[in-house]
Amino acid sequence: MVGGGVVRRRITVRGVVQGVGFRPFVHQLATRSGLTGLVGNDTAGVFIEVQGSREVVDALRAELIAHPPPLARIHSVHVADVPTKTETHFVIVASQLSTVGTSSVPTDVGTCDECLRELFDPTDRRFRYPFVNCTHCGPRYTIVRGLPYDRPATTMAGFPMCADCEREYHDPADRRFHAQPIACPACGPRVWLESGGARGGDDEDAIREAVKVLAGGGIVAMKGIGGFHLACDATNPDAILRLRERKGRKGKPFAVMVKGVEHARRIAEVSGDEAAVLTGPERPIVMLKRWADQGEVDDGIAPGLNSVGLMLPYSPLHHLLIDDRPLVMTSGNRSDEPIAGDSADARERLADLADAFLMHDRIIHTVCDDSVVRVFAGHEYPVRRSRGYAPLPLKLPRPGKCVLAVGGELKATLCVTVGDHAYLSQHIGDVESIDTLAALDRTAEHLLDLFRVSPEVVACDLHPGYLSADWAAGFAERRGVPLVRVQHHHAHVASLLTDANWQGGPVLVVCFDGTGYGTDGAIWGGEFFHAGTGTIERVAHLKYVPLPGGDTAIRKPYRTALAHLWAAGVPWAPELWPVNSAVASDAERRVLRQQLERNVNCVPTSSMGRLFDAVAALACVRHEVSYEGQAAMELEAHAAAAGSCEPFPFGVSDSLPIELDPMPTLSAVVAGLRRRLPVEVIASRFHATVAEMVRVVARVLNATAVGLTGGVFQNVTLLDLVSERLRTDGRTVLTHRQVPCNDGGLSLGQAVTAGGIQ
Ligand code: ZN
Ligand code: ZN
Ligand code: FE
């Protein structure tokens, strides 16, 4: 081949290019074009050397950029001329290790259509095999022990391939060419059932027995891709109640798995965009609007809410198990514990929870909860970014320092920045116990190890009492690197601006949130910032209200309501719900009043989440919560039922920072209750009030663009009302698309702030 017009080029491709069939794709392309050379993985991505006539080499480069394999995401391509060689073939070469890696770890992908066809084809050698996968689908991040992504570095290393699998694995024309988790009934993992400590049937028998347990109202602990699920019949109220009791999960909604989009439509309204997300390769739980008559699932799935989280089967085992009966699929843990991933650990921890265990012998190296998304205005609006998405990086506007950020306390994720990429971990959970702290520690070590980086800076929240902040301080000290404490809402703002890839100069960002430690020691959460690159100024906030007992009020909205009434100068009249002795005892109220009057053990708060709580308690929607945001979510369900209504009044100060006074709102809510306004109308008018607050501040400050972030914006009814008003006024609206508006997105904001990027 060497001669006139022959060139050899080295092409390096960065991005999500490993574990997605990129090397076989390049091999096929090059072989078809008669080119010679090589392709391989290194820790930074894929490297290609290709030799042949200039036009053909350039055509190959253009083709791989224009039409990469479906799951690949190319971030950059670098081309350099290198000396030609004497060779006759195009080959795939062994992986190369380098010291610092910036390659992306591939994510777990739901079973593809081809594999599904084989799963149900009686003539196929993988007929009904629960671990069928190929280069386009299957487990990835959850089985990866190290990079580059090759079989020996995964938990499939313990399953030597049979001759048939070996042949497919090495055949460039095969769909399973270099599919690392390749397996078949002859050589791969198996399933079996355990109940009452005894091992029941294997394979087909195990699946049949598990279906029988489910049909009989039992609870099955099922080992999956990212951990154990607890499953039960979603149409059986007794089974659901039993699961709630055993799990210690009172009201928090359960996710439901349904066979397909048509089944989802029997339970909830599913738009075209929502159907696309449901059937997408990430297979997240999609939050959908439930039919008013509950459809065919029991109301115990999501009590008091107008939404339901549905997902489709994403592993071959799910496909084999699910029939027309929708299944509750909730993470395999007791409330507040991390999800179980290890079989021995699950046997112990879930022994009292499950009637049977559907086990398999493929090790889950990294536990990864199901992701949760909504669809807002035609795009994904993440609620929990985990399986299927983690640890895909977000592209940063420019490279910065290598930062490890640990998030806040609730819904924690980690973030590691390497060059101009920010890698977010899976959902770790609420870092309030030793168990979740251990999970945080493991995840940090794993990510740093995968990318072979050592952080130059560690970032955490400003809150003095967070376990994650203590961990970060210890880590920073051990490594001898600086620790940067980033204010909670500053981090939310930076997270949104990075997520929205905002480069347009200073912008007004609204951060409505539950709890965040402010720079003045108060609990913030109803905040407006003027934010630009490297600058942030608090320009407006809700007026402070004293919160007796601080964070303890979060579980008891009636206490927050009483505090708000006191601050608004509204007497605690006995006809008001939070004053009712069925809700709070006379003694409790007496102590509360003393605390407020003497300002003892009261923390001032500007939290919008707490204002939602106060209104929810006043409207008798909820007085005590069993999960974060419950009162606000139930208030939203009532508001959505009423449609749009007139706002209540509120105060706006003249000076900067602008103070928004919710006292007139509280008084109006009380007056409305006395006039016996329906709770739906109160809820709806309150939502309109909050939207109006944003509109007024944006007008006063003459903002051209307004960002919306913070946990309160998980409320899509509010998000809708606010965006609509801002757009009507001609303003650009920035909302999240890649990371959650809640504390799951915090680590990204901390990382870009501490790294000097945002
Ligand atoms: Zn497949
Ligand atoms: Zn095999
Ligand atoms: Fe927050």
Side-chain angles (χ1 to χ4, degrees):
M1 287 281 295
V2 183
V6 168
V7 295
R8 184 178 185 88
R9 291 198 168 134
R10 187 176 174 89
I11 306 172
T12 34
V13 189
R14 301 286 174 259
V16 185
V17 290
Q18 294 185 2
V20 294
F22 207 90
R23 288 175 301 170
F25 157 76
V26 173
H27 183 273
Q28 281 166 27
L29 213 57
T31 311
R32 214 189 311 137
S33 317
L35 299 169
T36 62
L38 51 89
V39 60
N41 282 343
D42 58 20
T43 34
V46 165
F47 62 91
I48 304 160
E49 282 187 21
V50 64
Q51 180 169 319
S53 80
R54 188 181 304 275
E55 301 80 64
V56 184
V57 168
D58 288 346
L60 176 131
R61 189 199 55 188
E63 176 66 14
L64 69 87
I65 295 170
H67 303 109
L71 298 173
R73 295 188 201 178
I74 296 176
H75 293 148
S76 71
V77 176
H78 181 256
V79 185
D81 283 320
V82 289
T84 54
K85 286 183 185 166
T86 308
E87 63 191 359
T88 53
H89 289 90
F90 192 91
V91 292
I92 293 182
V93 295
S95 299
Q96 288 179 0
L97 295 170
S98 66
T99 46
V100 174
T102 54
S103 167
S104 294
V105 183
T107 57
D108 303 281
V109 179
T111 310
C112 74
D113 289 345
E114 270 294 281
C115 286
L116 204 55
R117 196 191 48 70
E118 291 174 356
L119 184 67
F120 292 110
D121 175 3
T123 66
D124 194 277
R125 71 186 190 91
R126 292 189 179 84
F127 177 56
R128 297 188 67 82
Y129 179 57
F131 301 92
V132 55
N133 69 77
C134 71
T135 37
H136 306 302
C137 74
R140 301 281 192 275
Y141 178 51
T142 52
I143 61 166
V144 168
R145 287 195 161 117
L147 284 183
Y149 176 64
D150 273 337
R151 192 171 177 103
T154 72
T155 61
M156 286 300 292
F159 297 94
M161 281 180 252
C162 69
D164 287 335
C165 285
E166 186 99 33
R167 189 163 24 74
E168 292 168 339
Y169 184 86
H170 290 293
D171 176 3
D174 196 278
R175 202 171 91 250
R176 296 196 168 86
F177 182 59
H178 283 252
Q180 308 307 343
I182 187 174
C184 79
C187 67
R190 320 296 300 229
V191 296
W192 68 91
L193 197 85
E194 291 177 19
S195 65
R199 183 156 167 159
D202 285 355
D203 303 325
E204 277 303 312
D205 289 343
I207 292 167
R208 210 175 308 115
E209 286 167 35
V211 169
K212 214 181 290 170
V213 175
L214 291 168
I219 296 164
V220 177
M222 245 160 72
K223 191 173 179 181
I225 301 287
F228 276 78
H229 276 125
L230 288 166
C232 77
D233 179 353
T235 64
N236 183 334
D238 296 334
I240 292 164
L241 196 65
R242 207 157 33 240
L243 180 57
R244 284 205 180 279
E245 279 168 3
R246 290 188 194 171
K247 205 173 140 111
R249 177 153 158 161
K250 268 195 195 148
K252 200 172 177 180
F254 285 137
V256 174
M257 184 176 277
V258 291
K259 198 172 178 187
V261 173
E262 284 321 304
H263 296 74
R265 290 206 161 105
R266 290 189 215 145
I267 299 166
E269 213 176 300
V270 184
S271 71
D273 289 326
E274 287 163 338
V277 178
L278 271 174
T279 54
E282 299 90 357
R283 290 289 163 110
I285 297 166
V286 184
M287 299 302 296
L288 297 162
K289 194 171 168 226
R290 191 161 60 151
W291 296 124
D293 65 358
Q294 320 299 358
E296 58 185 38
V297 291
D298 184 72
D299 188 38
I301 295 295
L305 303 182
N306 61 339
S307 60
V308 61
L310 299 183
M311 67 176 147
L312 301 191
Y314 57 83
S315 83
L317 187 56
H318 296 152
H319 285 284
L320 293 171
L321 270 168
I322 202 149
D323 49 25
D324 274 345
R325 192 196 322 272
L327 292 178
V328 167
M329 288 285 245
T330 185
S331 50
N333 55 2
R334 245 172 255 282
S335 284
D336 307 327
E337 284 179 4
I339 182 172
D342 175 71
S343 297
D345 178 43
R347 263 183 212 111
E348 201 178 297
R349 278 168 56 197
L350 307 180
D352 307 335
L353 276 70
D355 299 306
F357 287 82
L358 189 56
M359 295 294 209
H360 66 67
D361 54 359
R362 185 173 64 204
I363 293 167
I364 298 171
H365 185 73
T366 300
V367 294
C368 204
D369 287 84
D370 294 319
S371 293
V372 184
V373 304
R374 280 183 184 277
V375 175
F376 176 72
H379 59 77
E380 284 188 29
Y381 191 68
V383 177
R384 181 165 76 197
R385 186 183 185 274
S386 204
R387 179 189 47 75
Y389 299 86
L392 281 189
L394 273 79
K395 184 92 167 65
L396 302 176
R398 61 179 175 281
K401 286 181 187 150
C402 175
V403 184
L404 167 68
V406 300
E409 181 167 58
L410 302 178
K411 305 180 169 72
T413 60
L414 296 177
C415 180
V416 179
T417 57
V418 185
D420 58 357
H421 283 123
Y423 297 88
L424 267 97
S425 78
Q426 73 278 17
H427 167 83
I428 293 167
D430 299 345
V431 187
E432 297 172 313
S433 70
I434 295 304
D435 287 341
T436 34
L437 193 62
L440 182 150
D441 184 84
R442 261 196 318 274
T443 308
E445 293 297 342
H446 186 47
L447 284 182
L448 296 175
D449 192 48
L450 277 181
F451 301 123
R452 294 187 170 81
V453 290
S454 186
E456 297 164 272
V457 181
V458 179
C460 68
D461 197 271
L462 193 63
H463 198 294
Y466 283 178
L467 285 178
S468 64
D470 288 349
W471 183 92
F475 183 90
E477 203 187 309
R478 283 199 302 282
R479 300 280 181 119
V481 296
L483 174 74
V484 177
R485 291 179 179 269
V486 183
Q487 198 280 324
H488 191 95
H489 305 101
H490 293 179
H492 274 303
V493 170
S495 164
L496 172 67
L497 297 184
T498 306
D499 185 345
N501 197 20
W502 177 254
Q503 312 281 326
V507 56
L508 177 69
V509 183
V510 186
C511 186
F512 285 168
D513 204 21
T515 299
Y517 190 79
T519 54
D520 58 0
I523 298 175
W524 291 7
E527 315 302 314
F528 296 72
F529 298 94
H530 196 62
T533 306
T535 65
I536 187 155
E537 187 195 351
R538 191 184 188 208
V539 288
H541 60 86
L542 276 182
K543 194 176 169 184
Y544 285 147
V545 170
L547 201 59
D551 280 1
T552 54
I554 293 171
R555 284 183 296 276
K556 298 180 171 179
Y558 67 86
R559 289 175 65 97
T560 309
L562 288 169
H564 273 82
L565 289 175
W566 184 84
V570 178
W572 289 359
E575 76 273 15
L576 296 175
W577 274 106
V579 189
N580 193 301
S581 47
V583 173
S585 72
D586 294 350
E588 186 183 358
R589 269 200 318 281
R590 230 180 353 259
V591 173
L592 202 69
R593 179 175 287 280
Q594 278 177 7
Q595 279 185 304
L596 287 163
E597 278 169 357
R598 297 181 194 157
N599 194 22
V600 178
N601 194 19
C602 289
V603 187
T605 186
S606 54
S607 164
M608 181 56 83
R610 295 296 81 76
L611 185 59
F612 267 85
D613 282 355
V615 173
L618 275 171
C620 195
V621 168
R622 180 146 296 274
H623 301 295
E624 296 194 40
V625 301
S626 63
Y627 61 92
E628 200 219 358
Q630 184 176 15
M633 283 166 76
E634 292 177 3
L635 195 67
E636 182 194 356
H638 285 292
S644 66
C645 287
E646 277 297 291
F648 290 123
F650 56 91
V652 185
S653 76
D654 294 330
S655 54
L656 266 182
I658 298 166
E659 267 190 358
L660 294 165
D661 188 352
M663 306 312 158
T665 314
L666 264 290
S667 304
V669 167
V670 169
L673 289 164
R674 293 202 164 113
R675 287 204 316 276
R676 298 189 184 284
L677 279 185
V679 57
E680 287 78 12
V681 174
I682 300 267
S684 176
R685 292 191 63 179
F686 174 67
H687 276 71
T689 310
V690 177
E692 204 56 31
M693 287 177 175
V694 177
R695 171 186 247 170
V696 166
V697 172
R699 277 183 182 167
V700 171
L701 298 174
N702 200 17
T704 47
V706 183
L708 307 174
T709 188
V712 168
F713 281 110
Q714 287 173 109
N715 180 331
V716 283
T717 307
L718 180 68
L719 188 67
D720 237 344
L721 290 172
V722 174
S723 323
E724 195 189 292
R725 277 172 166 76
L726 293 172
R727 289 209 179 92
T728 306
D729 290 356
R731 300 180 214 285
T732 304
V733 180
L734 310 178
T735 54
H736 284 278
R737 291 181 182 217
Q738 303 173 78
V739 299
C741 64
N742 62 42
D743 289 2
L746 220 50
S747 61
L748 173 68
Q750 293 172 345
V752 293
T753 303
I757 294 163
Q758 193 56 258

